[in-house]
Coordinates of all heavy atoms in Angstrom, one line a residue:
Chain C
V241 N 146.6 -91.9 149.8 CA 147.1 -91.0 150.9 C 147.8 -91.9 151.9 O 147.3 -93.0 152.2 CB 145.9 -90.3 151.5 CG1 146.4 -89.5 152.8 CG2 145.2 -89.4 150.5
T242 N 148.9 -91.4 152.4 CA 149.6 -92.1 153.5 C 149.8 -91.2 154.7 O 150.2 -90.0 154.5 CB 151.0 -92.7 153.0 OG1 150.7 -93.7 152.0 CG2 151.7 -93.4 154.2
K243 N 149.5 -91.6 155.9 CA 149.7 -90.8 157.0 C 150.5 -91.6 158.1 O 150.2 -92.8 158.3 CB 148.4 -90.4 157.6 CG 147.5 -89.5 156.7 CD 148.0 -88.1 156.7 CE 147.2 -87.1 155.8 NZ 147.7 -85.8 155.8
T244 N 151.4 -91.0 158.8 CA 152.2 -91.7 159.8 C 152.2 -91.0 161.1 O 152.6 -91.6 162.1 CB 153.6 -91.9 159.3 OG1 154.2 -90.6 159.0 CG2 153.7 -92.8 158.1
D245 N 151.8 -89.8 161.2 CA 151.8 -89.1 162.5 C 150.5 -89.4 163.2 O 149.5 -89.5 162.5 CB 152.1 -87.6 162.4 CG 151.0 -86.9 161.8 OD1 150.7 -87.3 160.6 OD2 150.3 -86.0 162.4
P246 N 150.5 -89.5 164.5 CA 149.2 -89.9 165.2 C 148.0 -89.0 164.9 O 147.0 -89.5 164.6 CB 149.6 -89.7 166.7 CG 151.1 -89.9 166.7 CD 151.6 -89.4 165.5
L247 N 148.2 -87.7 165.0 CA 147.1 -86.8 164.7 C 146.7 -86.8 163.3 O 145.5 -86.9 162.9 CB 147.5 -85.3 165.1 CG 146.4 -84.3 165.0 CD1 145.1 -84.7 165.7 CD2 146.8 -82.9 165.4
G248 N 147.7 -86.9 162.4 CA 147.4 -86.9 161.0 C 146.6 -88.1 160.6 O 145.6 -88.1 159.8
L249 N 147.1 -89.3 161.0 CA 146.4 -90.5 160.6 C 145.0 -90.6 161.3 O 144.0 -91.1 160.6 CB 147.2 -91.8 160.9 CG 147.5 -92.2 162.3 CD1 146.4 -93.1 162.9 CD2 148.8 -93.1 162.3
F250 N 144.9 -90.1 162.5 CA 143.5 -90.1 163.1 C 142.6 -89.2 162.3 O 141.4 -89.6 162.1 CB 143.6 -89.7 164.6 CG 142.4 -90.0 165.3 CD1 142.1 -91.3 165.8 CD2 141.4 -89.0 165.5 CE1 140.9 -91.6 166.4 CE2 140.2 -89.3 166.2 CZ 140.0 -90.6 166.6
M251 N 143.0 -88.0 161.9 CA 142.2 -87.1 161.2 C 141.8 -87.7 159.8 O 140.7 -87.5 159.4 CB 142.8 -85.8 161.1 CG 142.9 -85.0 162.5 SD 143.6 -83.4 162.4 CE 142.4 -82.5 161.5
H252 N 142.7 -88.4 159.2 CA 142.4 -89.0 157.9 C 141.3 -90.1 158.1 O 140.4 -90.2 157.3 CB 143.6 -89.5 157.2 CG 143.3 -90.0 155.9 ND1 143.0 -89.1 154.8 CD2 143.2 -91.3 155.3 CE1 142.8 -89.8 153.7 NE2 142.8 -91.1 154.0
L253 N 141.5 -90.9 159.2 CA 140.5 -91.9 159.4 C 139.1 -91.3 159.7 O 138.1 -91.7 159.3 CB 140.9 -92.8 160.6 CG 142.1 -93.7 160.3 CD1 142.5 -94.5 161.6 CD2 141.8 -94.7 159.2
N254 N 139.1 -90.1 160.4 CA 137.9 -89.4 160.6 C 137.3 -89.0 159.3 O 136.1 -89.1 159.1 CB 138.2 -88.2 161.4 CG 137.8 -88.3 162.9 OD1 137.2 -89.3 163.3 ND2 138.3 -87.4 163.7
K255 N 138.1 -88.5 158.4 CA 137.6 -88.0 157.1 C 137.0 -89.1 156.3 O 135.8 -89.0 155.8 CB 138.8 -87.4 156.3 CG 138.5 -86.8 154.9 CD 139.7 -86.2 154.3 CE 139.4 -85.7 152.9 NZ 139.1 -86.8 152.0
V256 N 137.7 -90.2 156.1 CA 137.2 -91.3 155.3 C 136.0 -92.0 156.0 O 135.1 -92.5 155.4 CB 138.2 -92.3 154.8 CG1 139.2 -91.7 153.8 CG2 139.0 -92.9 156.0
G257 N 136.1 -92.1 157.3 CA 135.0 -92.7 158.1 C 133.8 -91.9 157.9 O 132.7 -92.4 157.7
S258 N 134.0 -90.6 158.0 CA 132.8 -89.6 157.8 C 132.2 -89.8 156.5 O 131.0 -89.9 156.3 CB 133.4 -88.2 158.1 OG 132.3 -87.3 157.8
E259 N 133.0 -89.8 155.5 CA 132.5 -89.9 154.1 C 131.7 -91.2 153.9 O 130.8 -91.3 153.0 CB 133.7 -89.9 153.1 CG 134.3 -88.5 153.0 CD 135.7 -88.6 152.3 OE1 136.1 -89.7 151.9 OE2 136.3 -87.5 152.1
N260 N 132.1 -92.3 154.6 CA 131.4 -93.5 154.4 C 130.4 -93.9 155.4 O 129.9 -95.0 155.5 CB 132.5 -94.7 154.4 CG 133.3 -94.7 153.1 OD1 132.8 -95.0 152.0 ND2 134.6 -94.2 153.1
G261 N 130.0 -92.8 156.2 CA 128.9 -93.1 157.1 C 129.2 -94.0 158.3 O 128.3 -94.7 158.8
I262 N 130.5 -94.0 158.7 CA 130.9 -94.9 159.7 C 130.7 -94.4 161.1 O 131.0 -93.2 161.4 CB 132.5 -95.2 159.5 CG1 132.8 -95.7 158.1 CG2 132.9 -96.2 160.6 CD1 132.3 -97.0 157.7
G263 N 130.3 -95.2 162.0 CA 130.4 -94.9 163.5 C 129.1 -94.3 164.1 O 129.2 -93.7 165.1
R264 N 128.0 -94.5 163.5 CA 126.7 -94.0 164.1 C 126.3 -95.0 165.2 O 126.4 -96.2 165.0 CB 125.6 -93.8 163.1 CG 125.9 -92.7 162.1 CD 124.7 -92.5 161.2 NE 124.9 -91.3 160.3 CZ 124.0 -90.8 159.5 NH1 122.8 -91.3 159.6 NH2 124.3 -89.8 158.7
L265 N 125.8 -94.4 166.3 CA 125.3 -95.3 167.3 C 124.1 -94.6 168.1 O 124.2 -93.4 168.4 CB 126.4 -95.6 168.3 CG 126.0 -96.3 169.6 CD1 125.6 -97.7 169.3 CD2 127.2 -96.3 170.6
D266 N 123.1 -95.3 168.3 CA 121.9 -94.8 169.0 C 121.6 -95.8 170.1 O 121.3 -96.9 169.9 CB 120.7 -94.7 168.0 CG 119.4 -94.3 168.6 OD1 119.3 -94.3 169.9 OD2 118.5 -94.0 167.9
M267 N 121.8 -95.4 171.4 CA 121.6 -96.3 172.5 C 121.1 -95.7 173.8 O 121.2 -94.5 173.9 CB 123.0 -97.0 172.8 CG 123.9 -96.1 173.5 SD 125.6 -96.9 173.8 CE 125.2 -97.9 175.2
V268 N 120.6 -96.5 174.7 CA 120.3 -96.0 176.0 C 121.3 -96.6 176.9 O 121.6 -97.8 176.9 CB 118.9 -96.5 176.5 CG1 118.6 -96.1 177.9 CG2 117.8 -96.0 175.6
E269 N 122.0 -95.7 177.7 CA 123.1 -96.1 178.5 C 122.8 -95.7 180.0 O 121.9 -95.0 180.3 CB 124.4 -95.4 178.0 CG 124.4 -93.9 178.4 CD 125.3 -93.1 177.5 OE1 125.4 -93.4 176.3 OE2 125.9 -92.1 178.0
N270 N 123.6 -96.2 180.9 CA 123.5 -96.0 182.3 C 124.5 -95.0 182.8 O 125.7 -95.3 182.7 CB 123.7 -97.3 183.1 CG 122.5 -98.3 182.9 OD1 121.4 -98.0 183.4 ND2 122.8 -99.3 182.2
R271 N 124.0 -93.8 183.2 CA 125.0 -92.8 183.7 C 125.5 -93.3 185.1 O 124.8 -94.0 185.8 CB 124.2 -91.5 183.9 CG 124.0 -90.8 182.7 CD 123.6 -89.4 183.0 NE 123.0 -88.8 181.7 CZ 122.0 -87.9 181.7 NH1 121.6 -87.4 182.9 NH2 121.6 -87.4 180.6
Y272 N 126.7 -92.7 185.5 CA 127.2 -93.0 186.8 C 126.3 -92.6 187.9 O 126.2 -93.2 188.9 CB 128.6 -92.3 186.9 CG 129.4 -92.7 188.1 CD1 129.3 -94.0 188.6 CD2 130.2 -91.8 188.7 CE1 130.1 -94.3 189.8 CE2 131.0 -92.1 189.9 CZ 130.9 -93.4 190.4 OH 131.6 -93.7 191.5
I273 N 125.6 -91.6 187.6 CA 124.7 -90.9 188.5 C 123.4 -91.7 188.8 O 122.6 -91.2 189.6 CB 124.5 -89.4 188.0 CG1 124.7 -88.4 189.1 CG2 123.3 -89.2 187.3 CD1 126.1 -88.1 189.5
G274 N 123.3 -92.8 188.1 CA 122.2 -93.7 188.4 C 121.0 -93.5 187.6 O 119.9 -94.2 187.8
I275 N 121.1 -92.6 186.6 CA 119.9 -92.4 185.7 C 120.3 -93.0 184.3 O 121.4 -93.0 183.9 CB 119.7 -90.8 185.5 CG1 119.4 -90.2 186.9 CG2 118.6 -90.5 184.5 CD1 119.4 -88.7 186.8
K276 N 119.2 -93.4 183.6 CA 119.4 -93.9 182.3 C 119.3 -92.7 181.3 O 118.6 -91.8 181.6 CB 118.4 -95.0 181.9 CG 118.7 -96.3 182.5 CD 117.8 -97.4 182.2 CE 118.1 -98.7 182.8 NZ 119.3 -99.4 182.1
S277 N 120.0 -92.8 180.2 CA 120.1 -91.7 179.3 C 120.2 -92.2 177.9 O 120.9 -93.2 177.6 CB 121.4 -90.9 179.7 OG 121.8 -90.1 178.7
R278 N 119.5 -91.5 176.9 CA 119.7 -91.9 175.6 C 120.7 -91.0 174.8 O 120.6 -89.8 175.0 CB 118.3 -91.8 174.8 CG 118.2 -92.4 173.5 CD 118.4 -91.5 172.3 NE 117.9 -92.1 171.1 CZ 116.8 -91.9 170.5 NH1 116.0 -91.0 171.1 NH2 116.4 -92.6 169.5
G279 N 121.6 -91.7 174.2 CA 122.7 -90.9 173.5 C 122.7 -91.3 172.0 O 122.5 -92.5 171.7
V280 N 123.0 -90.3 171.1 CA 123.2 -90.6 169.7 C 124.6 -90.1 169.4 O 125.0 -89.0 169.7 CB 122.2 -89.9 168.8 CG1 122.5 -90.1 167.4 CG2 120.8 -90.4 169.2
Y281 N 125.4 -91.0 168.9 CA 126.9 -90.7 168.7 C 127.3 -90.9 167.2 O 126.8 -91.7 166.5 CB 127.7 -91.7 169.6 CG 127.4 -91.6 171.0 CD1 126.6 -92.5 171.7 CD2 127.8 -90.5 171.8 CE1 126.3 -92.5 173.0 CE2 127.5 -90.4 173.2 CZ 126.7 -91.4 173.7 OH 126.4 -91.3 175.1
E282 N 128.3 -90.1 166.9 CA 129.0 -90.3 165.6 C 130.5 -90.4 165.9 O 131.1 -89.4 166.3 CB 128.7 -89.2 164.6 CG 127.2 -89.1 164.3 CD 126.9 -87.8 163.5 OE1 127.1 -87.9 162.3 OE2 126.5 -86.8 164.1
T283 N 131.1 -91.5 165.6 CA 132.5 -91.7 166.0 C 133.3 -92.3 164.8 O 133.7 -93.5 164.9 CB 132.6 -92.6 167.2 OG1 131.6 -92.2 168.2 CG2 134.0 -92.5 167.9
P284 N 133.5 -91.6 163.7 CA 134.0 -92.3 162.5 C 135.3 -92.9 162.6 O 135.5 -94.1 162.4 CB 133.9 -91.2 161.5 CG 133.8 -89.9 162.2 CD 133.2 -90.2 163.5
G285 N 136.4 -92.1 162.9 CA 137.7 -92.6 162.8 C 138.0 -93.7 163.8 O 138.6 -94.7 163.6
A286 N 137.6 -93.4 165.1 CA 137.8 -94.4 166.1 C 137.1 -95.7 165.9 O 137.7 -96.8 166.2 CB 137.4 -93.8 167.5
T287 N 136.0 -95.7 165.3 CA 135.3 -97.0 165.0 C 136.1 -97.8 164.0 O 136.2 -99.0 164.2 CB 133.9 -96.7 164.3 OG1 133.1 -95.9 165.3 CG2 133.2 -98.0 164.0
I288 N 136.8 -97.2 163.1 CA 137.7 -97.9 162.2 C 138.8 -98.5 163.0 O 139.2 -99.7 162.8 CB 138.2 -97.0 161.1 CG1 137.0 -96.4 160.2 CG2 139.2 -97.7 160.2 CD1 137.4 -95.3 159.3
L289 N 139.5 -97.6 163.8 CA 140.6 -98.1 164.5 C 140.3 -99.2 165.5 O 141.0 -100.2 165.6 CB 141.2 -96.9 165.4 CG 142.2 -96.1 164.7 CD1 142.8 -95.1 165.7 CD2 143.4 -96.9 164.1
W290 N 139.2 -99.1 166.2 CA 138.8 -100.2 167.1 C 138.6 -101.5 166.4 O 139.1 -102.5 166.9 CB 137.5 -99.8 167.8 CG 137.6 -99.2 169.2 CD1 136.9 -99.8 170.3 CD2 138.3 -98.1 169.7 NE1 137.2 -99.0 171.4 CE2 138.0 -98.0 171.1 CE3 139.0 -97.1 169.1 CZ2 138.5 -97.0 171.9 CZ3 139.6 -96.1 169.9 CH2 139.3 -96.0 171.3
T291 N 137.9 -101.4 165.3 CA 137.7 -102.7 164.5 C 139.0 -103.3 164.0 O 139.2 -104.5 164.1 CB 136.8 -102.4 163.3 OG1 135.6 -101.7 163.8 CG2 136.4 -103.6 162.6
A292 N 139.9 -102.5 163.5 CA 141.1 -103.0 163.0 C 142.0 -103.5 164.1 O 142.7 -104.6 163.9 CB 141.9 -101.9 162.2
H293 N 142.0 -102.8 165.2 CA 142.9 -103.2 166.3 C 142.5 -104.6 166.8 O 143.3 -105.5 167.0 CB 142.9 -102.1 167.4 CG 143.7 -102.5 168.6 ND1 143.2 -103.1 169.7 CD2 145.1 -102.4 168.8 CE1 144.2 -103.3 170.6 NE2 145.3 -102.9 170.1
R294 N 141.3 -104.8 167.1 CA 140.8 -106.1 167.6 C 141.1 -107.1 166.6 O 141.5 -108.3 167.0 CB 139.3 -106.0 168.0 CG 138.9 -107.4 168.5 CD 137.5 -107.4 169.1 NE 137.3 -107.1 170.5 CZ 137.6 -107.9 171.5 NH1 138.2 -109.1 171.2 NH2 137.5 -107.6 172.7
D295 N 141.0 -106.9 165.3 CA 141.2 -107.9 164.3 C 142.7 -108.3 164.4 O 143.0 -109.5 164.3 CB 140.9 -107.3 162.9 CG 140.9 -108.4 161.9 OD1 140.0 -109.2 161.9 OD2 141.9 -108.5 161.2
L296 N 143.6 -107.3 164.5 CA 145.0 -107.7 164.6 C 145.3 -108.5 165.8 O 146.1 -109.5 165.8 CB 145.9 -106.4 164.6 CG 147.4 -106.7 164.6 CD1 147.8 -107.5 163.4 CD2 148.1 -105.4 164.7
E297 N 144.6 -108.2 166.9 CA 144.8 -109.0 168.1 C 144.5 -110.5 167.9 O 145.1 -111.4 168.5 CB 144.0 -108.4 169.3 CG 144.6 -107.1 169.8 CD 143.8 -106.6 171.1 OE1 142.7 -107.1 171.3 OE2 144.4 -105.8 171.8
G298 N 143.4 -110.7 167.1 CA 143.1 -112.1 166.8 C 144.2 -112.8 166.2 O 144.4 -114.0 166.5
L299 N 145.0 -112.2 165.4 CA 146.2 -112.8 164.8 C 147.4 -112.9 165.7 O 148.1 -113.9 165.7 CB 146.6 -112.0 163.5 CG 147.6 -112.6 162.6 CD1 147.1 -113.9 162.0 CD2 148.0 -111.6 161.5
A300 N 147.6 -111.8 166.5 CA 148.9 -111.7 167.1 C 149.0 -111.8 168.7 O 150.0 -111.8 169.3 CB 149.5 -110.3 166.8
M301 N 147.8 -112.0 169.3 CA 147.7 -112.1 170.7 C 147.5 -113.5 171.2 O 146.6 -114.2 170.7 CB 146.6 -111.1 171.2 CG 146.6 -111.0 172.7 SD 145.3 -109.8 173.3 CE 146.3 -108.4 173.7
D302 N 148.1 -113.8 172.3 CA 147.9 -115.1 172.9 C 146.5 -115.2 173.4 O 145.9 -114.2 173.9 CB 148.8 -115.3 174.1 CG 148.5 -116.6 174.8 OD1 148.8 -117.7 174.4 OD2 147.9 -116.5 175.9
R303 N 145.9 -116.4 173.3 CA 144.5 -116.6 173.7 C 144.2 -116.2 175.1 O 143.2 -115.5 175.4 CB 144.0 -118.0 173.5 CG 142.6 -118.3 173.8 CD 142.2 -119.8 173.7 NE 142.8 -120.5 174.7 CZ 143.0 -121.8 174.7 NH1 142.7 -122.5 173.6 NH2 143.6 -122.4 175.7
E304 N 145.0 -116.7 176.0 CA 144.6 -116.5 177.4 C 144.9 -115.1 177.9 O 144.2 -114.6 178.7 CB 145.4 -117.5 178.3 CG 145.0 -119.0 178.1 CD 143.5 -119.2 178.3 OE1 143.0 -118.8 179.4 OE2 142.8 -119.7 177.4
V305 N 145.9 -114.5 177.3 CA 146.2 -113.1 177.6 C 145.0 -112.3 177.1 O 144.4 -111.4 177.9 CB 147.4 -112.6 176.9 CG1 147.6 -111.1 177.0 CG2 148.7 -113.3 177.5
M306 N 144.5 -112.6 175.9 CA 143.3 -111.9 175.4 C 142.1 -112.1 176.3 O 141.4 -111.1 176.6 CB 142.9 -112.4 174.0 CG 141.8 -111.6 173.4 SD 141.2 -112.4 171.9 CE 142.5 -112.0 170.8
H307 N 141.8 -113.3 176.8 CA 140.6 -113.5 177.6 C 140.7 -112.8 178.9 O 139.7 -112.3 179.4 CB 140.4 -115.0 177.7 CG 140.0 -115.7 176.3 ND1 139.6 -117.0 176.2 CD2 140.0 -115.2 175.1 CE1 139.4 -117.3 175.0 NE2 139.6 -116.2 174.2

Side-chain angles (χ1 to χ4, degrees):
Chain C
V241 175
T242 296
K243 295 282 181 182
T244 56
D245 67 300
L247 183 56
L249 70 82
F250 191 80
M251 290 179 71
H252 187 72
L253 292 176
N254 262 348
K255 180 176 175 295
V256 291
S258 176
E259 291 165 356
N260 286 287
I262 307 294
R264 294 187 176 188
L265 172 67
D266 175 347
M267 73 183 283
V268 175
E269 74 203 35
N270 288 292
R271 287 193 194 150
Y272 188 35
I273 226 74
I275 299 172
K276 285 182 179 284
S277 161
R278 192 259 196 102
V280 176
Y281 302 102
E282 301 174 79
T283 319
T287 298
I288 300 169
L289 271 186
W290 257 239
T291 307
H293 178 263
R294 181 173 268 286
D295 190 76
L296 181 60
E297 288 187 340
L299 188 65
M301 187 178 253
D302 174 75
R303 181 184 71 199
E304 294 304 307
V305 172
M306 184 191 288
H307 293 188

